[in-house]
Amino acid sequence: KIILPQVFKIVLPSFGNEVINLIKDTSLGYVISLVDILYIAQGHAVSDVTLLPYFIVAVIYLLFTALATLIMRKVESRYRGWV
C-alpha cells in the first residue's frame, strides 16, 4: 500500500519521456491509417514539386508530440503531491 504510490511517482516522469520519444521515433500515420503519411507526402511532393506536404507532416508530428507532452505534464502535476 505504501510502496506502489512511491514507485508510481518515481516512474511517471520516465514513462512520460518514453511515450514522447515513441511518438517522435515512430510513424504515427501508420497507427491512424493503413498508409503512412510520409509516403503520401512524398507522392504529393514529387508530383507538385513542392515541400509543402513535408511541412504539413512535420506540423502533424509536432501536434502529436505537443499533445502527449501536455497530457504527461498534467498527469505528473496531478500526482506530484501523492507521497
Side-chain angles (χ1 to χ4, degrees), residues 10-31:
I10 293 170
V11 171
L12 190 60
S14 300
F15 178 72
N17 288 337
E18 192 64 33
V19 168
I20 292 168
N21 283 334
L22 282 172
I23 290 173
K24 289 180 182 178
D25 294 341
T26 60
S27 175
L28 291 177
Y30 190 75
V31 173

Side-chain angles (χ1 to χ4, degrees), residues 8 15-17 24 28 31 51 55 66 74 76-77:
F8 186 71
F15 178 72
N17 288 337
K24 289 180 182 178
L28 291 177
V31 173
L51 294 177
F55 178 73
K74 291 252 187 210
E76 286 177 14
S77 67

